Amino acid sequence: MFDVINGVKRKWLKTEVDLDNHVIVQQVDTQMESPSQFIEDYISNLTTIPVDSSKPLWELRILNLKTPEAEAVAILRIHHSIGDGMSLISSLFACCRKSSDPGALPTIPMQKQTDRPRNRRGVLWLLLSVWSVLRLILNTLVDISLFMATILFMKDTKTPLKGLSGVEHNPKRIVHQTVSLDDIKLVKNAMAVTVNDVILGVTQAGLSRYLNRKYGEVDKSMSNNLPRHFRLRATVLVNIRQAIGIQAIADMMKKKSKAKWGNKLGFICFPFTIALRLDPLDYIRQAKTIADRKKLSLLALCTYLINNCVVKLFGSKVSSCLAYRIFFNTTMSISNVVGPVEEISFFGHPIAFIAPTVYGHPQALTVHFQSYINTMSIVVTVDPNVIPDPHLLCDDFSESLKLFKDAIILNNSVIANSN
């Protein structure tokens, strides 16, 4: 990576790394009453401390403190300038090995390629191809227009989730909850959708439950307390790399590696419809409709290319200002990262859970979904001045998934009884 400021080109340089300056073993009272609360407070305090710029921008903090989930906790903090989330989490996995086979890299599920029609001849196929291309172009133009409008003037509605100016400087509170990945797959298979569709449905339903409760604190006489019309969007950072597998990432630092390091991301804005539904599965249906529409657009690639041009022509400060506008004018960020399908170990230490997140951007809410073995971690990062009850929001997400599962089981039992 390089940048030009005042006519001087800045670039990354190789340096020696002294692990003693990066690996910190924190001394703690192992007999404390609430280790989980201590770790939550400890991490929250870290969000107020900048990463030391006098050394390579990463550190690993180890707390030998037993919690209900693990025997100890390791906190890996890395500056985003080193790489995007996909680079960093993939590199972490590449440093790990299967617990069942210490010499083998973790198994990361690869996205299945969509089967294409074999018969590509005939007028119908040609018409469908032309229509698909026209839809792709039209959707991309519409999305780029909305993206530019978001940078210039279009803001989300002020809600109990929307941060104010300066929110990026406030301390953050990071909490997580683990749900069953098998439950997510049960819903996915029953509705013939993707895991991403279910996750978006869970998010939409959970936000609706949370906001309805918040607005109900003003008027408790109504069961539906949500305003009829308001705009709530999530900024989604899309990895534009081709899937290349964990082995290539493990060899990333070798010459001619297929894996590309750094920030290779594009932006999209995903609109959530906040409402109460009689049928909870409608949240997933609506999320799938929007997600399918977003897939027929090149916005993510376009924003990545535009950002590269801005950096080369005007420098990283202008690029940062534009990114700031996108984040600040939307309500939240969301991501979903696929993890290993079996237990992995980090230098011989089995990993119980993985909970990635990010902070420092101008939003009061960030939600990450991270799969690992047969579980899914829901990681919620909030500004407690805006969202003082992040655990309650986590509960709303997990309860929404439970409602989806119950609805699927009920539908299946009705079908079975009718037969």
Side-chain angles (χ1 to χ4, degrees):
M1 186 203 84
F2 69 89
D3 189 16
V4 178
I5 296 182
N6 297 329
V8 179
K9 181 186 289 187
R10 303 191 308 170
K11 60 182 181 180
W12 292 111
L13 297 175
K14 289 186 177 181
T15 185
E16 294 184 1
V17 175
D18 184 355
L19 290 181
D20 291 334
N21 292 331
H22 294 271
V23 180
I24 303 166
V25 180
Q26 191 71 42
Q27 300 297 320
V28 294
D29 177 12
T30 58
Q31 303 300 320
M32 66 178 64
E33 292 184 1
S34 181
S36 296
Q37 186 62 49
F38 172 83
I39 291 173
E40 184 180 316
D41 294 339
Y42 182 87
I43 295 174
S44 180
N45 182 63
L46 281 180
T47 66
T48 67
I49 304 173
V51 179
D52 187 355
S53 60
S54 65
K55 59 185 180 182
L57 303 176
W58 67 272
E59 63 183 22
L60 176 64
R61 294 175 178 264
I62 300 174
L63 284 73
N64 288 311
L65 189 62
K66 186 175 181 180
T67 69
E69 293 179 287
E71 294 294 323
V73 175
I75 305 166
L76 180 60
R77 194 161 68 132
I78 309 177
H79 197 281
H80 220 309
S81 62
I82 294 180
D84 56 41
M86 185 58 66
S87 293
L88 300 178
I89 196 72
S90 299
S91 298
L92 171 63
F93 292 154
C95 293
C96 298
R97 295 296 183 267
K98 294 181 181 180
S99 296
S100 59
D101 184 0
L105 287 167
T107 302
I108 308 295
M110 300 292 289
Q111 186 174 4
K112 296 180 180 179
Q113 299 293 327
T114 304
D115 294 333
R116 298 181 178 180
R118 295 182 180 180
N119 185 8
R120 298 187 178 183
R121 297 179 182 179
V123 177
L124 180 59
W125 178 85
L126 180 61
L127 291 175
L128 290 175
S129 298
V130 172
W131 173 240
S132 297
V133 172
L134 290 175
R135 286 182 64 193
L136 183 68
I137 295 173
L138 178 61
N139 290 343
T140 301
L141 291 175
V142 170
D143 286 348
I144 290 177
S145 299
L146 292 174
F147 186 82
M148 296 305 297
T150 300
I151 292 178
L152 296 174
F153 61 87
M154 191 167 71
K155 298 181 180 180
D156 281 8
T157 307
K158 188 180 185 309
T159 68
L161 298 174
K162 185 77 171 68
L164 301 177
S165 179
V167 65
E168 66 274 15
H169 303 302
N170 297 338
K172 299 298 184 293
R173 190 153 290 272
I174 303 169
V175 302
H176 76 276
Q177 191 168 132
T178 301
V179 298
S180 170
L181 182 58
D182 292 333
D183 287 349
I184 293 176
K185 291 180 177 179
L186 171 68
V187 177
K188 170 186 94 72
N189 295 332
M191 298 191 66
V193 297
T194 67
V195 169
N196 273 334
D197 295 333
V198 179
I199 286 173
L200 291 170
V202 165
T203 306
Q204 191 162 237
L207 294 177
S208 297
R209 290 170 57 90
Y210 182 84
L211 285 174
N212 184 62
R213 186 187 305 108
K214 283 297 179 181
Y215 284 114
E217 293 175 357
V218 178
D219 184 1
K220 298 183 179 181
S221 63
M222 299 174 61
S223 58
N224 187 345
N225 303 286
L226 295 170
R228 288 190 176 183
H229 303 289
F230 62 87
R231 181 185 298 116
L232 193 156
R233 295 171 296 168
T235 300
V236 184
L237 297 179
V238 180
N239 173 37
I240 65 166
R241 302 173 181 85
Q242 292 182 346
I244 52 176
I246 193 70
Q247 184 60 53
I249 296 171
D251 298 335
M252 188 178 292
M253 296 305 171
K254 296 182 180 179
K255 293 182 178 180
K256 297 181 180 181
S257 170
K258 294 181 180 179
K260 301 299 181 183
W261 186 257
N263 288 279
K264 306 287 183 181
L265 296 174
F267 291 87
I268 66 171
C269 295
F270 192 94
F272 285 117
T273 301
I274 305 302
L276 298 184
R277 305 291 185 191
L278 293 177
D279 182 358
L281 299 180
D282 283 342
Y283 289 110
I284 299 177
R285 297 186 184 102
Q286 187 171 44
K288 174 178 171 53
T289 299
I290 299 174
D292 289 346
R293 156 65 179 79
K294 293 295 181 181
K295 292 174 185 176
L296 287 175
S297 172
L298 298 176
L299 176 63
L301 178 60
C302 290
T303 54
Y304 169 73
L305 296 175
I306 291 171
N307 182 63
N308 278 354
C309 291
V310 169
V311 171
K312 291 178 181 179
L313 294 175
F314 305 106
S316 61
K317 286 189 176 181
V318 175
S319 172
S320 298
C321 289
L322 296 179
Y324 182 95
R325 295 284 298 177
I326 288 294
F327 283 109
F328 183 70
N329 287 342
T330 54
T331 299
M332 59 179 291
S333 294
I334 185 172
S335 73
N336 172 34
V337 179
V338 180
V341 299
E342 70 282 285
E343 183 186 80
I344 60 175
S345 297
F346 185 70
F347 292 95
H349 299 278
I351 294 179
F353 70 93
I354 305 167
T357 191
V358 64
Y359 64 92
H361 55 296
Q363 289 177 331
L365 174 61
T366 302
V367 182
H368 287 272
F369 291 84
Q370 173 68 61
S371 67
Y372 178 48
I373 315 177
N374 59 350
T375 64
M376 178 74 78
S377 291
I378 305 175
V379 189
V380 175
T381 302
V382 305
D383 178 351
N385 297 321
V386 180
I387 305 172
D389 45 9
H391 290 281
L392 189 59
L393 181 55
C394 259
D395 291 340
D396 286 330
F397 290 139
S398 61
E399 181 63 24
S400 297
L401 176 60
K402 182 178 181 298
L403 291 175
F404 294 166
K405 179 184 176 182
D406 291 344
I408 292 295
I409 295 174
L410 178 61
N411 290 345
N412 289 341
S413 63
V414 170
I415 294 173
N417 290 333
S418 63
N419 291 336

